Amino acid sequence: MLFAREGGLTAWSLPLSLLLLAAWEAGSGQLHYSVPEEAKHGAFVGRIAQDLGLELAELVPRLFRVASKERGDLLEVNLQNGILFVNSRIDREELCGRSAECGIHLEVIVDRPLQVFHVEVKVEDINDNPPVFRSREQRLFIPENRQLDSRFPIEGAADADIGANALLTYTLSPNDYFSLEVQASDELSKSLSLKLRKSLDREETPEFHLLLRATDGGKPELEDTAQLLISVLDINDNTPVFEQALYRVHLLETTANGTLVTTLNASDADGGVNGEVVFSFGNDVSPNIQEKFKIEPSSGEIRLIDNLDYEETKSYEIQVKAVDKGSPPMSNHCKVLVKVLDVNDNAPEVVITSVSLPIREDAPFSTVIALISVSDLDSGVNGEVTCSLSPHSPFKLVSSFKNYYSLVLDSTLDRESTSGYALVVTARDGGSPSLWASATVSVEVADVNDNAPVFAQPEYTVFVKENNPPGSHIFTVCARDADAQENALVSYSLVERRVGERLLSSYVSVHAESGKVFALQPLDHEELELLQFQVSARDSGVPALGSNVTLQVFVLDENDNAPALLGLGAGGASSMVSELVSRSVGAGHVVMKVRAVDADSGYNAWLSYELQASVGGARSPFRVGLYTGEISTTRALEESDAPRQRLLVLVKDHGEPPRTTTATVLVSLVESGQAPKASSQASMSAVGSGTTLVDVNVYLIIAICAVSSLLVLTLLLYMALRCSAVPTEDKCGPGKPTLVCSSAVGSWSYSQQRGQRVCSGEVLPKTDLMAFSPGLSPGLSTSERNEHTEANSDLSCNPRQPNPDWRYSASLRAGMHSSVHLEEAGILRAGPGGPDQQWPTVSSATPEPEAGEVSPPVGAGVNSNSWTFKYGPGNPKQPGPGELPDKFIIPGSPAIISIRQEPTNSQIDKSDFITFGKKEESKKKKKKKKGNKTQEKKEKGNSTTDNSDQ
């Protein structure tokens, strides 16, 4: 984007920008922008990312950056929108001085891949510097006899700007005597002089005060003023005159100090002292010129007193003043233009920037490793530089722009063969003699994970004794990786698999860094003779490479298992067996065979049998086979032999140390008639173990059938109890039918379809009812249940005086399970003068508002023996004192509730106030009958026990 000189955006800026971009793409490879000086921070310069063909999203990932040889902070790029903007104040005069062309060269660098773009930003001058007079006041001495049209040089103003902004216009305050005359030159600045238009008369006007105004050509215009003080003098009317108004001189920049630059010649027509001329530099000569040159006041010789540098200043404009010694003195001016010629006195400079190191060994061809810029301060042929690369290497230099090179990869790299290169870049200019400079680039080749870890062997065999301590080290694997750093960092791990029903990691583990293999638990040769697994070695590269090695771990047997007896017992504990032997057997008769096995292998499992000597030292008529374990007679048995022989058989393996097991054989010597019976018992014992499993299955089937039968019986009993209550009329008179049925599990329900009335004496029937589970024992027979049923139909209605402290019998505690909701209920009261029985209760919720409730006391469990009976509002008549029925029936249940009412002072057992049955006599009969049955069962059990003992 181009800016106009005033800083505003013109209508033709966009097409011109596109034209410049096209030109850059076609040939030069460089973008051009322009920006006015003194632009504000953030001022728009150009859409650099768009003009370079870069996407905004890739600026940050590709590390988009801008570099400049000049001050690097003047311009910046917004990475969010790709706009080049002004970052800090740009002063053209400070940056380029009075040079006609002023620009900022930028290097735009992006990585991945590495690219460099060159951008030239032209700094346009604005009118930010006003004209400045070196002296605010200038004094002129003019003799009164000066001729008309005489000219008197005066000092002009200087403007730091260039072009039209430095084009100064001078005006002089109005007067009748002087006019301002300006002399312009293509190569020199304007020369000012006052032209005398009217003869002076010192006596009339001895002094003039004029105002000189300098205005530049910028917009807006800037100006400055200076006071001209003109004093009118008498006589000395001739000024010194130079032979040339302009002297031109060319000097090599290597000219030695003291060299004569030129000699000025000025003459004065006056005679005597008024004709003697003195030379000096003008008042507007800069300090830089005064440091480089000096002038002889009398001879006018100008000599060089300091070194010249073409690269610093290419020309000097010196103003010389010639003043005579008259009174007043007369003066004149001339200019000396010194041009400096270039000499090849500057060696090239090599700058290496944007080094992308280290370079991966798998980098593709033409990968940019570094950007190299060369420069030479000389001009022309002396400033033309060429570059070369040494020694021979897989890299080369590619010229990307004038005096800019890229160090790129030219062939493949292999870090394992060569890990680094020391490259020398040499720059040589075209001067005579030529000058050169060099720079060294150290290129380090970065490792790529292209080598997998390698084991010395594909397979290892390891021998480990069993019963090793947990965590013991059994082997160490080692793999080598030819790569470096992380790519050579090898870690080890198990290749997981299942060994039988367990994971491999439950047996062994491998240290990830050292490769040590550890046994996590004691190995058992009897369980696992060979453990074969793989260990994986993987490096830390990305992607990781790896290889596997096979380990065969043979578990060596140790004598860690004692012989185990078969059919007698297990382990090292002594086992005992009894045998019956007829006294009529002869020598060599095999009594039995001791069988034993050893879980070990080899010699550790080779068993031998021996018979230990008896305690008394008597010689035994039996022996045991050394390797067969057969116990046989050594001779015919005699009557003197003890009827019971205790044989200790020692079973021993051949391990180190040997392990033993002792078997005790009790041999009973019997007569020949008892042998078949003993043989029969032995046969039965041998078969008994074989039928154990069958007996278990039979018992299981019987248990399942019993449970199923019990369930069916319970369901049938429940249905019978539900449906067995038949409504009957008794002598108590009509009443509201209610039915309370009990389930087999002790829960209660309420029904209006069948009715059963509960009455007491001759009064109207009441609906007082205490109900609970029948709680029948499952052991009752059918006859006993019938007796209970008959007892339900025989109720007594004679009221008795209730005891204030009454409760249920202990036999009913296990039968209560829940509250019963009745349609009408009454409050159970005591006898005359007695308190109402209103204990704290936990009442069951009922949906019928008129229903009564029977509930246990607060805190009582299901088996509580204290209950409360309440009437509902449906029966307005309350029972009077003493009108409490002493018995209740439970419809659908064989239970009869009897409430005994005794005087308060009577000493009776309060634990039996509520009982079951027709009357106390029937209860006693049933208890007696039940006791007889129990006695019969005990006698029957004793007889069975005696038979089994026999």
Side-chain angles (χ1 to χ4, degrees), residues 244-285:
Q244 299 174 226
L246 176 63
Y247 293 85
R248 297 177 180 272
V249 181
H250 295 82
L251 295 178
L252 295 175
E253 62 176 335
T254 56
T255 301
N257 293 342
T259 301
L260 178 64
V261 177
T262 187
T263 300
L264 303 180
N265 188 12
S267 58
D268 195 326
D270 296 331
V273 178
N274 295 329
E276 294 179 4
V277 179
V278 178
F279 299 92
S280 64
F281 289 135
N283 296 331
D284 57 348
V285 173

Side-chain angles (χ1 to χ4, degrees), residues 5-68:
R5 180 178 55 185
E6 294 79 15
L9 183 64
T10 63
W12 44 268
S13 58
L14 182 60
L16 183 56
S17 174
L18 297 175
L19 182 61
L20 290 175
L21 179 61
W24 167 73
E25 292 179 346
S28 65
Q30 186 173 10
L31 282 177
H32 292 274
Y33 297 106
S34 63
V35 61
E37 67 171 334
E38 301 297 338
K40 294 182 180 180
H41 174 74
F44 176 85
V45 178
R47 300 186 181 275
I48 188 169
Q50 178 180 348
D51 296 339
L52 293 176
L54 300 176
E55 296 293 335
L56 296 180
E58 64 181 355
L59 297 183
V60 174
R62 294 189 63 183
L63 301 180
F64 184 95
R65 55 194 182 276
V66 177
S68 174

